Amino acid sequence: DGRQLKRADASLLARAQQSDSGLHRFGVTWEPLSAGDSSLSGRWLVRGIGVSEQALRALVDTLMSAGAEVLTSGETDSAWPDALAGVCVLWGSESQDGEAAHAVAHTGLLELQATVARERVKVVWLTQAAMTVGDEDLAEGIALAPLWGMARSTRSENPDLDLVLID
């Protein structure tokens, strides 16, 4: 089939791993956030998917204390009111097995399809413990990890989509 194999030189591989050749189109960086200006304006729709009422209420209270007008929507309500500054979706999952990850991925895909089809507003997805940053971190919310991959792919396919992920 025309393929040729060649033995790789170990020293060349080591140098390639150490060099910043700029061949990668994207990179991942983690930046600590300062408190800064915590004011927020406009109407925000807040949705909870797989989270407790208590967790959703805490998010609503936080956004309201920052100055946002907050509207809430249940898991099954797909309608977005007019004139929104943004939509904030708090994701959760009681289980962390493969079935839970599949269910979250299915719901996430439906959310992304609906988001792409709507008028462009800032969309913020909040997860907890879906990602790790350090060696000591545990991905205890691993069932939520598929959301990150799908959201990244969606952002690359829709550069005008203002989708922010926060873990």
Side-chain angles (χ1 to χ4, degrees):
D1 67 33
R3 293 185 200 170
Q4 292 182 340
L5 299 177
K6 173 172 131 176
R7 182 174 293 282
D9 183 341
S11 64
L12 291 175
L13 290 174
R15 276 193 308 219
Q17 286 178 334
Q18 293 171 353
S19 73
D20 184 12
S21 60
L23 294 176
H24 301 290
R25 186 171 182 184
F26 300 103
V28 176
T29 60
W30 300 98
E31 299 176 17
L33 296 177
S34 62
D37 180 22
S38 62
S39 65
L40 195 59
S41 63
R43 294 175 57 184
W44 283 76
L45 176 65
V46 175
R47 294 176 37 100
I49 299 178
V51 297
S52 69
E53 284 295 320
Q54 181 181 4
L56 189 59
R57 184 80 243 161
L59 175 59
V60 167
D61 292 344
T62 300
L63 293 175
M64 288 175 68
S65 68
E69 177 187 347
V70 178
L71 308 168
T72 59
S73 173
E75 288 185 33
T76 57
D77 183 4
S78 60
W80 286 10
D82 292 332
L84 289 176
V87 176
C88 189
V89 182
L90 179 60
W91 290 89
S93 177
E94 289 185 19
S95 178
Q96 297 304 319
D97 59 15
E99 286 182 33
H102 180 67
V104 166
H106 175 76
T107 304
L109 179 59
L110 295 175
E111 281 287 315
L112 284 172
Q113 289 171 336
T115 299
V116 167
R118 291 187 173 110
E119 179 184 334
R120 296 294 194 246
V121 298
K122 181 180 254 344
V123 177
V124 179
W125 279 9
L126 301 168
T127 60
Q128 185 173 4
M131 304 297 290
T132 62
V133 215
D135 294 337
E136 307 84 36
D137 294 342
L138 298 174
E140 295 171 351
I142 195 70
L144 303 174
L147 296 172
W148 281 72
M150 285 190 300
R152 287 179 182 145
S153 295
T154 301
R155 285 192 307 202
S156 69
E157 294 168 2
N158 300 274
D160 60 327
L161 182 65
D162 192 3
L163 175 60
V164 176
L165 295 127
I166 300 173
D167 188 57

